[in-house]
Amino acid sequence: GENVEQHPSTLSVQEGDSAVIKCTYSDSASNYFPWYKQELGKRPQLIIDIRSNVGEKKDQRIAVTLNKTAKHFSLHITETQPEDSAVYFCLTGTASKLTFGTGTRLQVTL
Amino acid sequence: DAGVIQSPRHEVTEMGQEVTLRCKPISGHNSLFWYRQTMMRGLELLIYFNNNVPIDDSGMPEDRFSAKMPNASFSTLKIQPSEPRDSAVYFCASRNPGSSYNEQFFGPGTRLTVL
């Protein structure tokens, strides 16, 4: 089955700095790469996703990059704000099976 | 649409008791997922259904866990007998694979505490 590794497990940045979270995967058939954000006590929600035919996607302060050759993809958050503090999960797989990464707890400090 | 609905939101029970968690997916979504979340193990996929049929139950921890989806608008996850190590937040999520997006929409979760 798919093996997804997510790093780092915790990340602390100062407000205004950038944050980068990386995931690596093993299944070359994976073609869908979403990122979910889970605030404390709440449900995971999709924040951005990318498909295998695209190398990069950006939505305001967040972006995702994909390197299919190396089998890794990353979440980039620029100009971080306190409300970005949450746990972020990568997922990867196909339409029939998605696997969650282990999560990254991001703390944005003032 | 009210989104994915889960009940109860909180459940406290004693070891050995039967627990039933319920989920109503978003209307029109034909894939449904059950997840378990703990601090130690993170988010784990327990089972998912496509068109009411269980497709992958490899994440179900043991025979004490069972899940059913009798129709497109309802699913249950049952634990019998429950144990303290089953304490976790259980999420249900639904998805419409027929759309151009594969986003999973999560319910609010059920926080289960087994004493």
Side-chain angles (χ1 to χ4, degrees):
Chain A
E2 176 70 277
N3 183 34
V4 181
E5 294 188 3
Q6 184 172 343
H7 299 281
S9 57
T10 60
L11 179 60
S12 182
V13 299
Q14 284 200 323
E15 183 180 9
D17 288 350
S18 295
V20 181
I21 305 169
K22 182 177 177 179
C23 280
T24 60
Y25 61 98
S26 58
D27 188 354
S28 57
S30 294
N31 59 9
Y32 179 57
F33 308 91
W35 286 89
Y36 280 72
K37 175 183 179 183
Q38 186 178 24
E39 297 177 3
L40 187 63
K42 296 190 177 180
R43 73 194 79 182
Q45 291 188 295
L46 179 72
I47 55 171
I48 194 167
D49 60 4
I50 195 170
R51 298 181 186 275
S52 57
N53 58 346
V54 177
E56 183 175 359
K57 183 176 178 180
K58 189 173 181 181
D59 183 3
Q60 298 182 354
R61 295 187 298 108
I62 59 173
V64 57
T65 58
L66 171 65
N67 184 327
K68 284 215 75 178
T69 303
K71 294 194 184 70
H72 66 71
F73 58 111
S74 301
L75 176 70
H76 305 254
I77 306 174
T78 58
E79 301 172 28
T80 53
Q81 300 169 4
E83 52 264 38
D84 296 329
S85 296
V87 178
Y88 292 82
F89 294 94
C90 66
L91 283 82
T92 186
T94 64
S96 58
K97 182 68 180 286
L98 287 171
T99 303
F100 270 89
T102 49
T104 296
R105 183 173 298 278
L106 173 64
Q107 182 69 44
V108 180
T109 58
L110 297 174
Chain B
D1 198 315
V4 177
I5 299 172
Q6 289 187 249
S7 64
R9 293 293 305 277
H10 302 273
E11 175 83 19
V12 180
T13 190
E14 291 190 343
M15 182 174 62
Q17 296 298 305
E18 178 180 295
V19 174
T20 300
L21 311 181
R22 297 173 176 80
C23 176
K24 177 176 168 34
I26 292 173
S27 177
H29 285 194
N30 56 1
S31 291
L32 183 140
F33 305 80
W34 281 102
Y35 292 91
R36 178 174 67 177
Q37 187 173 37
T38 61
M39 287 294 292
M40 292 296 294
R41 302 173 68 92
L43 259 171
E44 303 173 275
L45 176 65
L46 301 178
I47 185 171
Y48 89 91
F49 295 84
N50 207 35
N51 293 319
N52 312 339
V53 176
I55 302 300
D56 183 355
D57 65 354
S58 59
M60 296 287 263
E62 47 197 278
D63 291 345
R64 297 185 298 107
F65 286 69
S66 62
K68 293 182 180 179
M69 193 164 185
N71 56 63
S73 58
F74 183 66
S75 177
T76 59
L77 177 68
K78 186 176 293 187
I79 308 172
Q80 166 63 17
S82 58
E83 297 181 4
R85 60 193 169 115
D86 301 330
S87 298
V89 178
Y90 290 81
F91 286 103
C92 174
S94 71
R95 183 186 73 183
N96 181 5
S99 74
S100 58
Y101 299 99
N102 294 96
E103 179 178 358
Q104 293 186 32
F105 293 83
F106 283 77
T110 294
R111 182 173 295 277
L112 173 65
T113 302
V114 183
L115 303 174

